[in-house]
């Protein structure tokens, strides 16, 4: 009898313990957020991803009356910061703001440290990035088609200034090169600014550059635009055709910057984060900041974000597999 009582007592204790754990978990979710949220940006401070992170997440913090701390954690072509979030506690207090690298780096790097579809969950779409194909003013080509014709006659002789293997710029360029069946010599850079400087001094022959960075130089005449790499024309360059209008619809690719959390984060917290981000993206001041940087935002539901993440993962890993990008 005593053994039965002991067993019953143990079972009751376990049941109470489980009930308390579930109650505590439920309370933690209902009280979320009750402490500061860390926003990891796996790129240097001051860049376009940093602008996105601060504009959107700081507004979420104001709406929630909670502190958000934006932490630049560059290195390893964004692998260090991304892997840290993929391995973080799934409690909703560590967010990642990044671009396509989150989806493609595990294909490019043997030890990236995460699986895009298993370890990360996209909880909000921050912005769609806009970019433009540019050449030095001395380049005879006035259109993408004319540039492609020149590149066909000089395989491997023209230089492409690549700001980072697997970056949104690199992926856009590779899609164009595949669609146009041209080969350029890849010259690697650590970011867009230095690559653009070398284009302006005619060391590089072709680049794709974020619209925000390129516009002042386009207006100054120090670079020549050939097409925007977007699905529709942009207001600042209304006469410039899209890459599809220029004859290469297969090269259309509009990179997006998402906000991610660890994949095991509870659904209730994920839903609250998604709602907070979507609300922030509709704030007039946030819209103004993003418009100034030519990176328009778009609120999206979780189911649509998951579908976009899966579709782009498949699309971009295929681009990598067929482009000859080296596995690091």
């Amino acid at each position: 009898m005593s053994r039965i009582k002991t067993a019953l007592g143990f079972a009751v204790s376990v049941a109470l313990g489980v009930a308390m754990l579930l109650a505590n978990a439920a309370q933690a979710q209902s009280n979320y957020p009750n402490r500061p949220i860390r926003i990891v940006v796996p790129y240097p401070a001051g860049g376009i991803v940093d602008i996105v992170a601060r504009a959107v997440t700081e507004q979420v913090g104001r709406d929630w009356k909670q502190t958000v701390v934006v932490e630049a954690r560059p290195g390893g072509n964004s692998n260090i910061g991304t892997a840290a979030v993929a391995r973080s506690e799934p409690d909703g207090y560590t967010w990642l703001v990044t671009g396509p690298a989150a989806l493609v780096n595990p294909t490019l790097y043997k030890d990236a440290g995460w699986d895009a579809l298993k370890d990360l969950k996209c909880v909000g779409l921050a912005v769609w990035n806009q970019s433009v194909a540019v050449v030095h003013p001395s380049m005879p080509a006035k259109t993408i088609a004319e540039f492609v014709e020149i590149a066909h006659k000089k395989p491997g002789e023209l230089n492409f200034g690549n700001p980072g293997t697997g970056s949104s710029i690199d992926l856009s360029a590779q899609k164009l090169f595949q669609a146009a069946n041209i080969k350029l010599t890849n010259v690697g850079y650590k970011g867009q600014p230095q690559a653009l400087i070398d284009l302006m001094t005619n060391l590089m022959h072709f680049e794709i550059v974020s619209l925000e960075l390129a516009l002042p130089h386009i207006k100054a005449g120090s670079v020549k635009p050939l097409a925007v790499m977007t699905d529709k024309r942009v207001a600042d360059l209304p006469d410039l055709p899209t890459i599809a209008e220029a004859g290469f619809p297969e090269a259309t690719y509009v990179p997006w910057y998402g906000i991610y959390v660890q994949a095991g984060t509870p659904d209730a917290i994920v839903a609250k984060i998604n709602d907070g981000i979507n609300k922030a993206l509709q704030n007039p001041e946030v819209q103004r900041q993003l418009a100034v940087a030519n990176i328009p935002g778009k609120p999206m539901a979780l189911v649509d974000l998951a579908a976009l993440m899966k579709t782009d993962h498949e699309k971009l890993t295929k681009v990598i597999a067929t482009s000859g990008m080296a596995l690091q």
Side-chain angles (χ1 to χ4, degrees):
M1 182 67 70
S2 61
R3 289 183 178 179
I4 295 174
K5 288 182 178 179
T6 300
L8 286 173
F10 177 74
V12 170
S13 296
V14 170
L16 287 173
V18 171
M20 288 180 65
L21 286 173
L22 292 174
N24 289 338
Q27 184 177 17
Q29 293 179 35
S30 64
N31 290 340
Y32 176 87
N34 56 22
R35 56 187 170 88
I37 298 168
R38 182 168 66 118
I39 314 297
V40 176
V41 176
Y43 298 98
I48 190 169
V49 184
D50 188 57
I51 293 172
V52 169
R54 294 180 187 280
V56 178
T57 65
E58 289 179 358
Q59 182 58 48
V60 175
R62 285 189 289 271
D63 291 339
W64 287 354
K65 296 180 173 55
Q66 186 55 261
T67 301
V68 298
V69 180
V70 179
E71 173 189 337
R73 197 167 179 181
N77 196 17
S78 81
N79 286 346
I80 293 175
T82 304
V85 176
R87 294 192 294 262
S88 67
E89 287 294 319
D91 55 13
Y93 287 95
T94 304
W95 301 3
L96 171 73
V97 184
T98 190
L103 305 179
V104 303
N105 278 14
T107 303
L108 281 170
Y109 295 84
K110 295 177 181 178
D111 57 350
W114 76 93
D115 181 298
L117 300 183
K118 292 181 180 178
D119 299 327
L120 296 171
K121 181 175 290 185
C122 190
V123 292
L125 181 67
V127 295
W128 298 88
N129 191 18
Q130 300 183 112
S131 57
V132 55
V134 294
V135 295
H136 188 270
S138 65
M139 177 68 68
K142 294 181 180 179
T143 66
I144 282 286
E146 290 177 358
F147 175 79
V148 166
E149 185 178 348
I150 293 171
H152 276 147
K153 294 176 181 177
K154 300 180 177 182
E157 294 182 31
L158 302 180
N159 296 329
F160 161 57
N162 185 351
T165 300
S167 66
S168 60
I169 296 298
D170 187 21
L171 293 165
S172 293
Q174 296 302 332
K175 284 179 70 68
L176 173 61
F177 299 162
Q178 290 179 26
N181 192 28
I182 57 175
K183 181 176 177 57
L184 275 66
T185 296
N186 183 88
V187 181
Y189 288 86
K190 292 183 177 179
Q192 295 185 59
Q194 186 58 52
L196 184 58
I197 289 172
D198 283 357
L199 178 75
M200 290 189 288
T201 56
N202 213 16
L203 292 175
M204 294 297 106
H205 300 107
F206 177 84
E207 288 178 13
I208 294 175
V209 183
S210 294
L211 190 62
E212 177 198 18
L213 182 61
L215 271 176
H217 304 290
I218 291 173
K219 293 177 179 178
S222 49
V223 298
K224 183 196 301 182
L226 300 182
V228 287
M229 308 297 290
T230 55
D231 53 359
K232 58 184 178 181
R233 296 196 182 197
V234 300
D236 288 297
L237 299 169
D239 297 327
L240 195 65
T242 66
I243 191 67
E245 291 173 332
F248 300 96
E250 312 97 309
T252 302
Y253 170 54
V254 187
W256 53 278
Y257 296 103
I259 299 177
Y260 299 82
V261 295
Q262 210 280 339
T265 304
D267 291 343
I269 291 178
V270 167
K272 183 165 185 178
I273 296 173
N274 175 248
D275 182 67
I277 293 169
N278 286 342
K279 181 180 177 183
L281 284 168
Q282 297 174 67
N283 180 281
E285 177 56 22
V286 172
Q287 291 179 344
R288 185 195 68 78
Q289 292 179 55
L290 298 179
V292 167
N294 284 293
I295 41 177
K298 179 182 179 182
M300 289 183 71
L302 287 167
V303 63
D304 296 325
L305 289 167
L308 178 63
M309 188 177 174
K310 184 175 183 295
T311 299
D312 260 30
H313 179 266
E314 294 173 351
K315 182 193 306 179
L316 298 178
T317 50
K318 183 178 180 181
V319 170
I320 290 170
T322 56
S323 68
M325 291 185 193
L327 185 68
Q328 306 296 313

